[in-house]
Amino acid sequence: GENLLTMKLERPPLPFRTTQNILEHAPERPPWVVEPWIVRGTITQVIADVKDGKSTFVKGLARAIARGEPFMGRLAERGPVVYLTEEPHSAYVEGLRTVKIAPHDDIHSLYLSDTWGWDWLSLALKTIEYCKGINAKLLIIDTFPRFAGFEGEDENKQGVVVAAYKVLERAIAEGLTVM
């Protein structure tokens, strides 16, 4: 019998690239959604202590992208935003009002409480499909550990986090931007 080291796998060749090839095909500047915070086709994390204003910052960013207006003096690429929120309805609405998000702003929200019965992989794949359908500029997951279903100390376990992130890597491969 063959072992894993000698076994031939039927797979396409790996697309190794030289540095010259990579640099020749790279844009002059990164494709910013909002410079210097979000580059298109990446995963960006917002990290701060509890009650330091992360959700307010992210909602302000969402408003700027939805309107194509500057955010903190920087241009924002205009387009729809998909916002997954763990906040209860009343707190989320208050946050929207705090940053003056209006009914006509192109922000599509989903409450964590509306996802009961959904496993993370299925929810993420449906969300990616929705984002692609509306050509979303940004998918916000507030907060990733809650939507991914982490329990206890899961968010501190590398294997658990890496497994949950794999579906977000698929989103990136399909051209989405995630925060």
Side-chain angles (χ1 to χ4, degrees):
E2 293 185 70
N3 66 36
L4 287 177
L5 295 176
T6 61
M7 191 168 70
K8 285 189 176 183
L9 300 175
E10 297 296 324
R11 297 206 173 126
L14 293 170
F16 288 98
R17 294 169 179 85
T18 65
T19 304
Q20 178 179 350
N21 181 267
I22 291 169
L23 294 175
E24 284 175 354
H25 293 92
E28 192 65 32
R29 327 175 353 115
W32 294 105
V33 175
V34 181
E35 186 178 355
W37 297 287
I38 306 172
V39 174
R40 191 177 318 116
T42 64
I43 299 171
T44 302
Q45 293 185 6
V46 176
I47 301 171
D49 289 332
V50 174
K51 296 296 177 194
D52 268 357
K54 295 181 298 293
S55 292
T56 302
F57 174 85
V58 171
K59 284 181 185 80
L61 194 62
R63 185 192 78 191
I65 293 167
R67 294 180 182 180
E69 295 179 347
F71 179 73
M72 297 179 69
R74 303 297 183 108
L75 292 179
E77 183 179 15
R78 184 180 183 151
V81 175
V82 174
Y83 199 122
L84 308 187
T85 180
E86 69 176 354
E87 293 180 307
H89 178 77
S90 59
Y92 185 67
V93 168
E94 184 60 30
L96 296 177
R97 289 179 177 148
T98 297
V99 300
K100 297 178 175 49
I101 290 176
H104 65 271
D105 290 327
D106 203 0
I107 299 172
H108 305 242
S109 304
L110 177 68
Y111 294 104
L112 178 64
S113 60
D114 290 333
T115 66
W116 294 113
W118 285 79
D119 63 276
W120 168 237
L121 179 60
S122 299
L123 173 64
L125 291 173
K126 265 301 187 205
T127 300
I128 291 167
E129 181 182 316
Y130 185 81
C131 288
K132 289 174 62 180
I134 64 166
N135 196 27
K137 292 295 177 192
L138 181 63
L139 165 61
I140 297 168
I141 306 171
D142 184 10
T143 65
F144 176 71
R146 293 289 308 278
F147 275 92
F150 293 175
E151 296 178 4
E153 292 296 312
D154 283 352
E155 67 184 285
N156 297 317
K157 296 177 183 171
Q158 184 178 7
V160 173
V161 174
V162 168
Y165 254 74
K166 281 194 179 298
V167 70
L168 296 182
E169 292 169 2
R170 178 173 175 179
I172 299 310
E174 294 192 25
L176 296 177
T177 304
V178 181
M179 173 178 267

